[in-house]
Amino acid sequence: MNLPVQVVVLWSDALLFALTAACASFAWWTRRQAVLRAAWVRVGKDPVAMAAATVLAVFVLVGALDSLHYRARLPAQPGQPVHYAVEVNSVLDALLAPLRLNTEKTYSAPLATRLFAMETLPGSNERAFPRLVYGGAHLDAALDGHDGDVVRRTLTGLGGGLLLWLPVFLWLRKKIGAGDTVKNKANNAIAATLLGIFLLTGVALSLGSGYHVLGTDKVGQDVLYLSLKSIRTGLLIGTLTTLVTLPIAIVLGLMAGYFGGWIDDVIQYLYTTLNSIPGVLLIAAAVLMMQVVIDTHPDWFATAAERADARLLALCLILGMTSWTGLARLLRGETLKLRELEFVQAAHAFGVGPLLILRRHILPNLMHIVLIALVMDFSGLVLAEAVLSYVGVGVDPTTISFGGMINAARMELAREPMVWWSLAAAFCFMFILVLAANLFADAVREAFDPRAS
């Protein structure tokens, strides 16, 4: 059976969906734990947390669509074997095909109809701003109706977004009765957030069918498309790094705090040494060594997407190996206190082994710290990717990321007139993602930290 596409599962895709399944399993397990369930209920009643969670859910949806990869089937003559394209695309690429394929020659401003730079017109010595190939192509040569067309499309998008939002709003109003005021506030926050998202999406879809909403970059790619593609990279850096960080931090932190002695000395020496090395220099050195390995073994990768994915996973591994020290120190300090409590001493007196004590008595009482650190470190890791890509030691150049967009736009800030929209778009998307993560982390900290209650 010759399928129209060949499904491609990158390592980062598999790990991302495995992490999603683990989160779903954790949520199911949490429902059976009264204490954890009560804490999450408090989070669910916080309007700010629910608004932030709604924004994060939209980002996760975009990242999930961008993690479903495939290779399109190439046209073939009857009787010939089927071949598939070398280029690996995602479902998000297919949904955003007009933005991805409708490229211009170079820079153009948001909603513009002409290039940003003057050029010599073909067949003459006159210099002018050439018309865009796709942006505003439906307008006449005089461009008289540009402003009216933008307003009309904006109003159409707002109306469409409002119509799509109304059923969701009515369902939320029907879900919770008027008796629970706290839940109504949380639902109202969700509805208000969704209203903003639907309105912005409607306007972007309406304007995007005729213009480049956020302009184009140096090679003519749509900046809105690049911004949406960067979400997956930020999410992967923020989540997959925790797969490396958590096991190391939990194991070493608990061992140092519970066993003490020379084990504590060795672990303290290890994370003190790591902290004494400048983080950017350590990560840069590790990334450059990993890049040498990847470059010297091109036969390991069938496509350029696999090669870029390998560098992304290597960056996650390196970030995880260098960012576990803070959580390990916290867990060590808490374990030092817990091991002296009566219930731990009683278990030890009854002959319970140290591993069982750590698993059944120590670790459950530290999970609130692990969860708080996990959520709060997410935003820091997203920003770390931007900084590393900015200095040239981040993800592969073919991988679209916020840091790559900022790095590509920094040189254009000095030109006159300034090309500002690529930097502004990357900053706004990254700011919204980090802000939502921080607001949600604050709610989780207040719900799970006993000292905050």
Side-chain angles (χ1 to χ4, degrees), residues 354-370:
L355 295 181
L356 189 58
I357 291 177
L358 288 173
R359 184 173 64 87
R360 297 189 62 179
H361 299 289
I362 303 294
L363 183 58
N365 288 282
L366 297 176
M367 286 307 296
H368 70 282
I369 297 178
V370 174

Side-chain angles (χ1 to χ4, degrees), residues 61-77:
L61 176 62
V62 174
L65 292 175
D66 202 17
S67 297
L68 300 173
H69 290 98
Y70 66 91
R71 295 166 63 184
R73 187 176 65 183
L74 298 175
Q77 298 295 329

Side-chain angles (χ1 to χ4, degrees), residues 289-305:
M289 288 189 294
M290 186 64 67
Q291 185 61 33
V292 171
V293 175
I294 293 175
D295 290 341
T296 54
H297 297 84
D299 54 303
W300 289 358
F301 314 105
T303 62

Side-chain angles (χ1 to χ4, degrees), residues 64 86 100 108 138 158 200 242 250 279 288 318-319 335 354 421 428:
V86 176
R100 178 172 64 92
S108 66
H138 59 286
L158 292 174
L200 289 175
T242 60
I250 291 175
L288 291 176
I318 293 166
L319 284 173
T335 304
W421 46 88
C428 289

Side-chain angles (χ1 to χ4, degrees), residues 223-247:
V223 173
L224 177 59
Y225 168 74
L226 297 177
S227 301
L228 293 174
K229 288 284 290 182
S230 299
I231 292 175
R232 175 181 181 268
T233 305
L235 291 176
L236 287 175
I237 294 292
T239 55
L240 294 187
T241 303
T242 60
L243 294 179
V244 181
T245 301
L246 286 184

Side-chain angles (χ1 to χ4, degrees), residues 159-288:
L162 184 61
L163 289 177
L164 291 176
W165 172 77
L166 281 176
V168 179
F169 173 71
L170 295 176
W171 177 77
L172 288 173
R173 296 289 293 178
K174 184 179 179 181
K175 183 179 178 182
I176 303 295
D180 196 333
T181 306
V182 177
K183 286 188 177 181
N184 275 331
K185 289 182 179 179
N187 275 13
N188 289 338
I190 296 175
T193 306
L194 287 176
L195 175 61
I197 293 172
F198 276 109
L199 292 179
L200 289 175
T201 303
V203 172
L205 290 175
S206 181
L207 291 174
S209 61
Y211 302 93
H212 298 287
V213 181
L214 299 179
T216 56
D217 66 354
K218 187 174 184 179
V219 296
Q221 287 185 298
D222 191 275
V223 173
L224 177 59
Y225 168 74
L226 297 177
S227 301
L228 293 174
K229 288 284 290 182
S230 299
I231 292 175
R232 175 181 181 268
T233 305
L235 291 176
L236 287 175
I237 294 292
T239 55
L240 294 187
T241 303
T242 60
L243 294 179
V244 181
T245 301
L246 286 184
I248 299 175
I250 291 175
V251 171
L252 295 183
L254 265 64
M255 289 178 60
Y258 184 79
F259 293 106
W262 67 269
I263 296 179
D264 187 20
D265 294 337
V266 170
I267 294 174
Q268 283 195 77
Y269 177 79
L270 180 61
Y271 66 61
T272 303
T273 303
L274 278 177
N275 283 336
S276 66
I277 304 174
V280 175
L281 294 180
L282 181 61
I283 294 172
V287 169
L288 291 176

